[in-house]
Amino acid sequence: MKTKVLAALAATMAVGATCAFAANPFVDVPSDSWAYKSVVELADAGIIQGVDGQYFQGNRNITRYEAAEMVAKAMAHMDKASVEQRALINKLADEYADELNNLGVRVSALENRVGNVKLTGDARVRYINQGGEDQKSYTIKEGLTSLNKTVEPSDHRVKNDDSWSYRFRIRANAQINDRTKAVYGISTNNVSFANNNTASNSKDIFTDRAYIDYNFGGNNWDLMVGRYQYNLGGDRAYGYFYGDTFDGAQLKYQNDKFAATAGYGKFKEGYVGGSLNGTYAYDGDKYDATASAKTAYGELEGFFGGGRAAGSAIGVYYNKIMPDAYATSQKTGEKLDAGLDNFDVWGAYASVNFGKWNALANYEQYKLDKQAGVDLDDADVWIGKLTYNKANFATPKSWDAWVEYLNADPLVSNNNDYVSDFFGSTNSWRNGNLLSNVKSWGVGVDYTFAKNAQFQVMQSFASSAKQGNNDPGEETRAQFVFVF
């Protein structure tokens, strides 16, 4: 093992061919030895120290920990290495990752090696059964869309082959320098087994991550620009309205006690992200419809707790959502603007730890006021969740269990005459029928049955509509998730 590791380290010349005239510190390495030059250079760089500072003992086998020590010291010279040399040191670091961990060189820190590109990803196979009735039909007011008509609701029921789907995602994480990283990711859609199209004609793969992350100001400031995951309210909130792909820019300041975040950009999933865009036939004409929304957001968070309460947090947040929707007649070219106005979202959360328990409370208010001349009611959303234990992908047989309650007004409502579908793209496990105009409980269990492999099951119960007598139905969800 000693010859293999030393040959690899010497081959990298990561010490920059330090000094051809460095003194030989080892009495048992003659100047005519085949290893003389490499041993002297590695010793001069401090990568090897020998035994008692005098003997190299080249015929002695070394332990994996001794090899890991050499790799750790070589890593300190990464800035002097070429791309090929860094690749070889990275390969050795991966080989001795466990030993490096025990030596205090954290494996997570190895991800910050300059020039390193790490691939990660996950695969999911999911089953959903969603029962109940459709949301009731409603009449869209003339002032709201310029098309006075009755609209049939979306069908949120999921059954038979539609119940089964899969998704696969890959991430490439590149460390540009010690402060900058680039992330690019691709994902399939949630591909239903009910899809009867040929695989070659499917358009299931898309870019869901493409951003630069720059850390500065003593590691307290972070700037992220591009396409990233955005959870409305922050990562510690529930992510009720949105928790999906987002094109924008975000600036964040964080220390041990406080964090402030500001950002701006465009939603890229759900109704607010353009999923309704397309061509629609109406009254003998065809209309090219476009609907999307931008948002400016701000978050303030405080961190507290020690001992069993460590990691607790509270936060408040605000979003200014700026929708834009219009349809263009293919016959006349006339553009019909929906006339949607900007609206405000206010929210607050508290996430409190106590030993193995976590309690999350989240409140949001949607102040739509008036849209296209139509007065709309404010919408309040209350969420509570209690979790016991924690399922960790890296720890087989770890598990958690949780129970939650959601009380959500219709996000768009006008005196019970107009009730909309859910138009965000939630970070929740819930299907659309169980997110808007609903009171509902849910329970779930996550179990890591093998390293990097987890089984998750969720079930709603006692669900009912807040307005009208529509039955939102109950949802059963079970999924296998594999990470790498």
Side-chain angles (χ1 to χ4, degrees):
M1 179 187 292
K2 188 169 190 175
T3 300
K4 178 181 177 181
V5 174
L6 286 178
L9 290 175
T12 68
M13 296 300 291
V15 295
T18 52
C19 178
F21 304 102
N24 178 11
F26 305 123
V27 297
D28 57 347
V29 180
S31 59
D32 58 353
S33 169
W34 65 270
Y36 178 83
K37 184 174 182 293
S38 296
V39 169
V40 170
E41 288 175 347
L42 291 171
D44 187 60
I47 293 175
I48 59 174
Q49 295 177 326
V51 179
D52 295 330
Q54 299 183 56
Y55 302 98
F56 179 61
Q57 295 186 354
N59 293 323
R60 180 179 67 88
N61 287 330
I62 61 172
T63 67
R64 289 183 61 87
Y65 280 102
E66 289 174 317
E69 279 190 299
M70 297 179 194
V71 173
K73 292 171 182 176
M75 288 167 58
H77 297 274
M78 290 281 277
D79 57 333
K80 301 176 183 177
S82 68
V83 173
E84 293 80 8
Q85 293 162 355
R86 289 198 300 265
L88 185 49
I89 295 177
N90 289 343
K91 185 176 180 180
L92 288 168
D94 291 336
E95 168 68 25
Y96 297 101
D98 291 339
E99 288 79 12
L100 288 167
N101 256 322
N102 292 330
L103 289 170
V105 183
R106 293 176 46 239
V107 173
S108 59
L110 303 183
E111 297 173 2
N112 294 325
R113 292 170 298 190
V114 174
N116 184 40
V117 178
K118 182 176 181 180
L119 289 179
T120 60
D122 63 76
R124 181 180 71 190
V125 179
R126 185 174 71 181
Y127 170 82
I128 298 177
N129 183 278
Q130 172 75 56
E133 303 168 353
D134 298 341
Q135 296 284 0
K136 68 179 185 179
S137 299
Y138 52 83
T139 299
I140 293 183
K141 300 298 184 181
E142 183 174 0
L144 194 62
T145 64
S146 301
L147 299 175
N148 191 13
K149 60 177 289 190
T150 298
V151 175
E152 294 302 319
S154 300
D155 185 355
H156 292 288
R157 290 173 294 187
V158 183
K159 56 185 178 181
N160 302 328
D161 283 352
D162 278 328
S163 293
W164 294 94
S165 65
Y166 67 87
R167 184 191 68 188
F168 193 90
R169 301 187 296 190
I170 296 178
R171 304 280 184 263
N173 306 272
Q175 196 69 35
I176 297 173
N177 55 48
D178 60 347
R179 293 188 176 276
T180 312
K181 68 178 180 180
V183 176
Y184 180 79
I186 59 174
S187 175
T188 67
N189 289 304
N190 291 312
V191 182
S192 171
F193 284 95
N195 187 340
N196 292 319
N197 295 329
T198 62
S200 58
N201 288 331
S202 65
K203 298 180 180 179
D204 294 321
I205 299 176
F206 62 97
T207 297
D208 67 334
R209 299 289 182 273
Y211 66 88
I212 298 293
D213 191 294
Y214 177 62
N215 188 262
F216 62 101
N219 295 325
N220 293 119
W221 289 89
D222 185 83
L223 176 64
M224 185 163 52
V225 179
R227 174 168 291 183
Y228 53 90
Q229 169 85 13
Y230 169 58
N231 295 334
L232 195 149
D235 294 338
R236 293 176 178 82
Y238 187 78
Y240 164 77
F241 181 75
Y242 199 83
D244 215 323
T245 304
F246 187 82
D247 285 355
Q250 175 181 285
L251 179 65
K252 184 172 186 176
Y253 173 84
Q254 181 170 334
N255 58 34
D256 293 338
K257 299 294 184 182
F258 171 80
T261 305
Y264 177 83
K266 181 179 288 188
F267 301 110
K268 297 303 293 182
E269 294 293 344
Y271 291 178
V272 293
S275 66
L276 291 178
N277 294 353
T279 301
Y280 297 87
Y282 175 70
D283 197 22
D285 196 356
K286 289 185 177 180
Y287 290 85
D288 297 321
T290 300
S292 62
K294 300 177 183 177
T295 187
Y297 61 91
E299 303 160 8
L300 295 175
E301 298 175 284
F303 313 122
F304 63 93
R308 302 185 70 186
S312 298
I314 57 174
V316 295
Y317 50 94
Y318 168 77
N319 281 69
K320 171 71 74 173
I321 295 181
M322 297 158 274
D324 183 25
Y326 58 89
T328 304
S329 167
Q330 291 188 355
K331 278 187 177 181
T332 67
E334 180 186 7
K335 182 177 179 180
L336 303 177
D337 196 316
L340 301 180
D341 295 329
N342 299 343
F343 63 92
D344 300 323
V345 180
W346 295 90
Y349 80 86
S351 176
V352 180
N353 296 321
F354 187 74
K356 293 184 177 183
W357 293 90
N358 172 264
L360 171 68
N362 204 165
Y363 169 75
E364 292 180 354
Q365 184 178 69
Y366 295 76
K367 300 185 69 66
L368 289 98
D369 297 326
K370 182 176 290 188
Q371 295 290 329
V374 177
D375 291 324
L376 297 176
D377 302 329
D378 290 344
D380 294 321
V381 178
W382 297 89
I383 302 162
K385 184 174 183 179
L386 184 65
T387 304
Y388 177 76
N389 219 5
K390 185 175 183 180
N392 190 324
F393 276 100
T395 309
K397 298 184 179 180
S398 62
W399 62 276
D400 61 48
W402 51 265
V403 59
E404 71 176 29
Y405 175 71
L406 182 143
N407 186 322
D409 290 341
L411 287 186
V412 179
S413 175
N414 180 19
N415 299 322
N416 206 31
D417 187 41
Y418 176 91
V419 177
S420 79
D421 290 335
F422 181 76
F423 57 89
S425 184
T426 185
N427 195 45
S428 170
W429 58 277
R430 293 171 175 269
N431 206 17
N433 235 27
L434 290 172
L435 285 167
S436 179
N437 188 33
V438 71
K439 293 185 289 186
S440 177
W441 289 84
V443 293
V445 173
D446 307 312
Y447 178 70
T448 305
F449 60 90
K451 186 174 181 179
N452 298 329
Q454 201 170 96
F455 177 67
Q456 304 168 350
V457 61
M458 310 87 163
Q459 176 67 54
S460 69
F461 64 98
S463 303
S464 62
K466 295 195 68 176
Q467 293 186 16
N469 56 8
N470 171 71
D471 176 15
E474 304 294 359
E475 179 177 349
T476 301
R477 180 179 297 212
Q479 56 195 34
F480 290 95
V481 182
F482 307 89
V483 301
F484 57 90

